[in-house]
Amino acid sequence: MIVTDDEGWLFYRGLDNSLRVLTELLLTIPKILREQMVGRGLRLPYGERTGDKEVDAVMITAHDKFDEILAAAQKGDSLFKAGNIIKIEEIIPETVTHAKLVFDIGADEVVEQAYDETKIEKSSQVDQIFMQVENKLRQEIQDEIQKSPSHSVSKNKKTDITQKITEELMKDQDLGTVFEQNKDPLAIWLEAMAEKTHLAVVNKYIPIPKIRITDAGVKELYFADFDMDLSELNHAPIKNELQIQNLIDPSDQSRINGSFINFDGYQPQKILLGILREKPEIDYEKCSELLYKLIGQVCEHYSKGYGIDGMMNIVMMYKKDVANTIYKQMIKHFAVVYGFIQEEVIGVKKYNSHPAYGSAHTINLYDAFEGNIRSNLFQGIKKGVFNVAKFDSEPELILARILERDKDVKNWLRPASNEFDITYNQGHRYQPDFVVETLDKIYLVEVKGEDRLNNAEVIAKKKRGVQYCETATLWGTTNGYKGWQYLFIPSKQIKAGSSFHHLADRFKTL
């Protein structure tokens, strides 16, 4: 919670009720002002010490220049020496992890196979050669696929890569000598490994059709269906004499009968509808059903609390405010769709963008996590395109575990923000939650909480996702690629014991 004192100094109060002040601000001001600022923090919002050490402390967020403030705090003339004032809030720094491609065969197995194929005598130097070649080949081929306009690696390019790796090995005095001694079998193995690695990389990536919109179609504006959030409506009836004094609308003033207001024939629903119909985004012909529903919910809400007359009192007095509350909630469910969009596939991206994740904790995919799931990076992924992933919710994590163990799943991906060029609502980019590849199909998967199933933005994304899959399927089935299917899965339907086949069958969107 952000709080200020009467002179405008800014602080924020944490969940434990202790007061924080930003260290960056403290470091930019003179010593006396620092002390004054902390002093202001200490007297907010109570005006005096409470006796609770947590509440009577100012928490200063961790910073690399803490030494300067702490040194000042220890001086005899410092206000900070006055009592329980400074506490340090440690913030765990995030580390950045670059996702790596997952291969079916591990480094140890590559080395064992290399010995079988080359018949070279085992040694630690030969082990190093095999491992360095494997790591370098994987990286070089991945880089080349991403740089090449055709997203492939030619035979000549593979030869260039193997020569480059050979030259690098020869620069190492010890490894170069061993390589020279086993030059012929290593050269043959290296060439064969380049072919194997290329095939493994290509098979691991999920190809993404690139789509171009050639006709934006007819723009259609609409409001998605929803129910009013009645917690925002907390008006109460006011006394008749006060209401009479504040009536401005002539039609309302005509209802004054002495010291009373005559509500006979008053139609609060019609009054609110009239105000809402004046809003430029609201097309009465298209959303009349939704308008009547929302207005009815509001009137019923006030009637339950204050009776019919109380509800009429509120609407007459606060009609513009009530109507604006309805309008603001409607705008949150406002969306734009395009009818008859014409799309064409202009190619296929044969690699997936390698994400880089910032995280405070790195844990195994199957381990329990603490705190906010978004601060955790999950590793140990075997069936995914990449070896690590982050998730926005626990149902997404559960789905990833299902994908890892499901025999029908060949591959899965948490797409990067630039993986797809699918837009909705006039240019907003859509980033699906998962891409899942099975033996015969690729699925675009969206996981959504039950409270958002009717959200206008979610519906707009869903429509564009379905349309993308339809276009990708039409093109793919005639060009040797798999068809696509859109899945829209309510989060509570994802259970640890579910199978992906069962979820796909239940929640496929035609």
Side-chain angles (χ1 to χ4, degrees), residues 99 101 138-153 198 201 205 349-355 386 418-419:
L101 212 60
R138 288 181 176 183
Q139 191 57 56
E140 290 285 342
I141 287 175
Q142 288 175 53
D143 291 345
E144 186 58 32
I145 286 175
Q146 294 179 42
K147 287 189 294 184
S148 168
S150 62
H151 304 308
S152 61
V153 184
H198 180 220
V201 170
Y205 285 130
K349 181 182 169 191
K350 296 181 181 178
Y351 70 93
N352 304 126
S353 301
H354 289 238
F386 299 113
N418 63 343
E419 195 71 75

Side-chain angles (χ1 to χ4, degrees), residues 120-151:
I120 297 174
E121 186 178 345
K122 291 185 178 183
S123 72
S124 59
Q125 289 94 340
V126 176
D127 283 355
Q128 277 186 269
I129 290 173
F130 288 149
M131 287 188 287
Q132 282 193 27
V133 167
E134 183 234 8
N135 288 332
K136 202 67 180 171
L137 270 176
R138 288 181 176 183
Q139 191 57 56
E140 290 285 342
I141 287 175
Q142 288 175 53
D143 291 345
E144 186 58 32
I145 286 175
Q146 294 179 42
K147 287 189 294 184
S148 168
S150 62
H151 304 308

Side-chain angles (χ1 to χ4, degrees), residues 198-396:
H198 180 220
L199 185 61
V201 170
V202 169
N203 285 339
K204 194 58 190 176
Y205 285 130
I206 300 177
I208 308 292
K210 296 188 292 183
I211 290 178
R212 177 174 64 200
I213 297 175
T214 56
D215 182 359
V218 180
K219 184 166 71 172
E220 180 184 351
L221 311 177
Y222 78 101
F223 291 97
D225 186 39
F226 73 100
D227 292 315
M228 283 294 298
D229 177 3
L230 299 170
S231 65
E232 295 185 25
L233 296 162
N234 48 20
H235 304 92
I238 65 173
K239 294 180 180 180
N240 276 356
E241 55 268 26
L242 292 176
Q243 188 175 20
I244 289 168
Q245 292 171 17
N246 288 280
L247 289 178
I248 346 176
D249 194 319
S251 63
D252 292 338
Q253 288 180 338
S254 66
R255 293 183 171 276
I256 298 173
N257 184 6
S259 58
F260 295 95
I261 296 175
N262 181 10
F263 286 118
D264 288 347
Y266 187 69
Q267 297 179 293
Q269 292 90 343
K270 185 177 178 180
I271 297 295
L272 294 173
L273 180 62
I275 297 172
L276 289 167
R277 288 185 67 171
E278 294 175 1
K279 305 294 183 182
E281 298 88 352
I282 295 178
D283 184 334
Y284 174 74
E285 298 299 326
K286 290 183 178 179
C287 60
S288 58
E289 187 176 338
L290 177 62
L291 282 169
Y292 282 116
K293 185 184 91 167
L294 299 179
I295 292 171
Q297 289 176 350
V298 169
C299 292
E300 183 182 4
H301 167 66
Y302 284 126
S303 296
K304 283 182 177 178
Y306 303 104
I308 299 296
D309 284 352
M311 177 268 290
M312 291 183 178
N313 178 306
I314 291 169
V315 172
M316 182 176 285
M317 194 64 210
Y318 301 107
K319 52 181 172 286
K320 289 188 177 178
D321 189 27
V322 173
N324 280 333
T325 300
I326 298 173
Y327 170 69
K328 287 175 184 176
Q329 291 194 21
M330 288 183 71
I331 288 298
K332 291 179 182 177
H333 296 82
F334 184 57
V336 181
V337 293
Y338 290 90
F340 308 108
I341 290 180
Q342 294 180 14
E343 295 179 325
E344 62 175 334
V345 176
I346 57 173
V348 60
K349 181 182 169 191
K350 296 181 181 178
Y351 70 93
N352 304 126
S353 301
H354 289 238
Y357 296 112
S359 61
H361 309 283
T362 300
I363 60 175
N364 187 274
L365 185 70
Y366 294 95
D367 288 347
F369 65 90
E370 295 181 2
N372 188 338
I373 191 172
R374 296 183 184 186
S375 67
N376 294 277
L377 180 66
F378 293 87
Q379 63 182 1
I381 293 169
K382 304 298 183 186
K383 274 195 175 183
V385 174
F386 299 113
N387 63 331
V388 292
K390 291 185 76 173
F391 304 99
D392 296 321
S393 66
E394 191 165 0
E396 289 183 355

Side-chain angles (χ1 to χ4, degrees), residues 445-456:
V445 183
E446 185 72 18
V447 177
K448 273 290 168 281
E450 276 70 3
D451 59 330
R452 301 198 66 213
L453 297 183
N454 293 320
N455 178 277

Side-chain angles (χ1 to χ4, degrees), residues 10-191:
L10 187 65
F11 304 85
Y12 69 99
R13 186 162 292 281
L15 292 178
D16 61 358
N17 215 26
S18 61
L19 204 68
R20 271 87 164 160
V21 58
L22 296 181
T23 309
E24 289 86 345
L25 183 55
L26 283 175
L27 290 171
T28 62
I29 57 180
K31 171 180 175 290
I32 186 65
L33 289 182
R34 291 180 192 169
E35 295 185 349
Q36 289 175 352
M37 186 173 182
V38 173
R40 285 182 168 91
L42 286 169
R43 69 171 182 254
L44 280 171
Y46 305 106
E48 60 183 12
R49 292 202 179 197
T50 64
D52 184 328
K53 288 186 178 182
E54 293 299 318
V55 177
D56 290 340
V58 170
M59 186 79 76
I60 302 177
T61 303
H63 192 276
D64 59 0
K65 292 186 179 180
F66 249 143
D67 290 345
E68 184 181 341
I69 289 179
L70 293 178
Q74 299 307 313
K75 292 180 180 178
D77 62 345
S78 173
L79 171 67
F80 298 146
K81 295 279 284 186
N84 180 39
I85 295 179
I86 289 188
K87 296 181 71 177
I88 300 174
E89 179 185 30
E90 292 292 346
I91 294 180
I92 300 173
E94 286 196 344
T95 56
V96 176
T97 303
H98 295 271
K100 295 180 180 179
L101 212 60
V102 174
F103 289 90
D104 294 334
I105 181 171
D108 291 342
E109 197 173 347
V110 168
V111 171
E112 288 302 315
Q113 288 184 4
Y115 277 119
D116 288 342
E117 292 168 12
T118 60
K119 309 302 180 186
I120 297 174
E121 186 178 345
K122 291 185 178 183
S123 72
S124 59
Q125 289 94 340
V126 176
D127 283 355
Q128 277 186 269
I129 290 173
F130 288 149
M131 287 188 287
Q132 282 193 27
V133 167
E134 183 234 8
N135 288 332
K136 202 67 180 171
L137 270 176
R138 288 181 176 183
Q139 191 57 56
E140 290 285 342
I141 287 175
Q142 288 175 53
D143 291 345
E144 186 58 32
I145 286 175
Q146 294 179 42
K147 287 189 294 184
S148 168
S150 62
H151 304 308
S152 61
V153 184
S154 66
K155 187 173 182 179
N156 288 339
K157 191 62 188 179
K158 289 175 195 171
T159 301
D160 291 343
I161 291 172
T162 57
Q163 287 178 351
K164 177 182 175 182
I165 294 173
T166 300
E167 289 170 4
E168 289 182 5
L169 284 169
M170 295 301 291
K171 290 177 183 177
D172 185 297
Q173 187 173 354
D174 293 334
L175 297 184
T177 301
V178 175
F179 190 91
E180 188 64 36
Q181 293 170 350
N182 300 278
K183 187 174 182 179
D184 290 340
L186 283 174
I188 294 170
W189 173 78
L190 185 52
E191 186 176 345

Side-chain angles (χ1 to χ4, degrees), residues 404-431:
E404 280 287 289
R405 68 167 188 266
D406 198 296
K407 60 182 178 57
D408 294 324
V409 174
K410 176 187 174 187
N411 214 355
W412 65 271
L413 171 71
R414 288 280 286 168
S417 59
N418 63 343
E419 195 71 75
F420 290 88
D421 191 19
I422 306 174
T423 57
Y424 69 98
N425 277 7
Q426 305 184 87
H428 294 284
R429 185 182 288 271
Y430 174 32
Q431 181 181 352

